[in-house]
Amino acid sequence: MSRQIQSLLNAVQFMTLVPTPRAALFDDDWLLSASKYFPLVGAGIGLVCGGVLLAGSLIWSGVVPAMMAVAAGAALTGALHEDGIADTADGLFGGRTREQRLALIKDSRLGLYGAVALVLSFAIRVAALASLPPWLGVATLVAGYSLGRTGIVAAMSALPYAGDAATGKLNYPTRAISSAGWFGLAAFSVLGALWLVMLNPPAAIVGLLVAGVFGLVAPWIALRLIGGYRGDVLGATEQMIQIGLLLGVVAMAGHG
């Protein structure tokens, strides 16, 4: 049990800026063991953002509450995945060779493609969220943040690491996630999406389908252009899943 608590704390520390007890243990397999808790941590982030959305909706109308909710997510996570989609866009579309693309992904400076991707990510999420009734928006945020992190684990498991793993910022897994890990990942993913499914089943189904398609975009392009994933590609995958889910839900249940 203590090992599982440590893995959960590692997931919280990795995915958010929330302070965690010093008991968190980082060894060579910490990311693999913590990954099954990613959707659970994502659901928690979504709940916080949803609370901001509801609180803002009591005072303001229009896009302001949605902007506050999306900003809260970026603040809570240190804009980890926003940075990922920006660096991925710069690398995959700004370089002409595999080596150039890998170098640009690793470069922390923001380029033209990254700036466009970042603006679009924020703009689409804010506009889509503002088109939903507040409580449905909360459920979509919880599902989006949860399933986005499921997509991270799926991409990490399906693709090889691109480049030299020894130069990466993290010790990415060199072995497959266990069956118990997949079970935990699936259970927490279902938990994250359950509220949305109960509130509006048709919108949830369409949203999940669109999110699945969007979630394949970054890994597929990365596999073709650089031969696998990098940490930033995983962040881009999370952002694309959030965007796809919001667009699908809005297509079925949006108003105004």
Side-chain angles (χ1 to χ4, degrees), residues 174-186:
T174 56
R175 58 185 178 87
I177 188 172
S178 66
S179 56
W182 279 116
F183 178 81
L185 186 76

Side-chain angles (χ1 to χ4, degrees), residues 210-235:
V210 178
V213 173
F214 273 49
L216 294 174
V217 173
W220 179 72
I221 295 176
L223 182 61
R224 288 190 59 213
L225 297 183
I226 60 174
Y229 76 90
R230 301 282 292 199
D232 288 316
V233 174
L234 301 180

Side-chain angles (χ1 to χ4, degrees), residues 79 81-91 94 103-120 122 232:
H81 305 304
E82 286 81 2
D83 176 73
I85 196 171
D87 287 343
T88 298
D90 275 335
L104 286 170
I105 289 175
K106 192 174 181 180
D107 191 342
S108 61
R109 291 174 295 182
L110 184 64
L112 175 61
Y113 290 105
V116 171
L118 195 59
V119 169
L120 287 176
F122 274 106
D232 288 316

Side-chain angles (χ1 to χ4, degrees), residues 6-16 30 34 37-38 41:
Q6 288 173 346
S7 294
L8 175 58
L9 292 174
N10 286 340
V12 172
Q13 183 169 335
F14 177 55
M15 288 287 173
T16 74
W30 75 267
Y37 293 111
F38 285 1
V41 175

Side-chain angles (χ1 to χ4, degrees), residues 2-14 18-27 30 34:
S2 61
R3 176 69 183 183
Q4 295 305 311
I5 292 175
Q6 288 173 346
S7 294
L8 175 58
L9 292 174
N10 286 340
V12 172
Q13 183 169 335
F14 177 55
V18 176
T20 57
R22 302 182 71 178
L25 176 65
F26 290 88
D27 54 26
W30 75 267

